[in-house]
Amino acid sequence: MEKVNKDWFVVMTKLKQEQVARKNLLNQRFEVFLPQLNHSNINSGLIPLFPGYLFVSFDISRPHWLKIGNTRGVKKLLSSNINPSRVDKKIINILLRSTNYLIRK
C-alpha cells in the first residue's frame, strides 16, 4: 500500500470568492478547509475567519496540485520561491477545533 503524504497549504482567493474557490477545488477532488465563524448579522450566519484565504491539502509530489492556480475563484497558491508554503498541521488542528469548519474530501 502506497503512503499518501498530504500537507496543508494556503490558497488566496479572488475578492469575496472563497465559496466559489472552495466549490471548484472540491470538484477537482482536493481536500479543502474554509474556517468560518458564526455571525448573527449576516443571512447565512457564517463568515470566513480569514477573508480571501482557505486551506487545501495535497501531496506535493504529485502534479495534480498544479491545477490549483487555474481554478475559478483562486488568485494564487501562496509560496516561497517556487514551492508552495506548507502550513503546520498543528495550526490546522487548532483551527479545526476552534471554528465552524467546512472541510470536505
Side-chain angles (χ1 to χ4, degrees), residues 11-12 14 21 24-25 28 30 64-77:
V11 169
M12 179 185 284
K14 294 180 181 174
N24 288 303
L25 289 166
Q28 294 177 59
F30 285 103
H64 179 67
W65 69 269
L66 295 168
K67 296 178 179 185
I68 293 172
N70 294 320
T71 300
R72 179 170 284 183
V74 169
K75 187 170 187 178
K76 66 180 178 177
L77 183 62

Side-chain angles (χ1 to χ4, degrees), residues 32-99:
V32 180
F33 174 36
L34 176 58
Q36 298 184 102
L37 296 173
N38 282 326
H39 194 285
S40 59
N41 296 336
I42 297 180
N43 292 340
S44 70
L46 296 174
I47 59 169
L49 180 60
F50 306 110
Y53 297 91
L54 55 79
F55 301 93
V56 64
S57 178
F58 58 85
D59 181 350
I60 199 166
S61 68
R62 301 194 180 256
H64 179 67
W65 69 269
L66 295 168
K67 296 178 179 185
I68 293 172
N70 294 320
T71 300
R72 179 170 284 183
V74 169
K75 187 170 187 178
K76 66 180 178 177
L77 183 62
L78 296 190
S79 62
S80 57
N81 297 325
I82 60 170
N83 296 319
S85 300
R86 287 180 175 86
V87 177
D88 190 318
K89 290 178 184 175
K90 291 177 187 176
I91 293 171
I92 297 296
N93 287 332
I94 290 168
L95 290 169
L96 285 169
R97 289 191 310 269
S98 304
T99 61

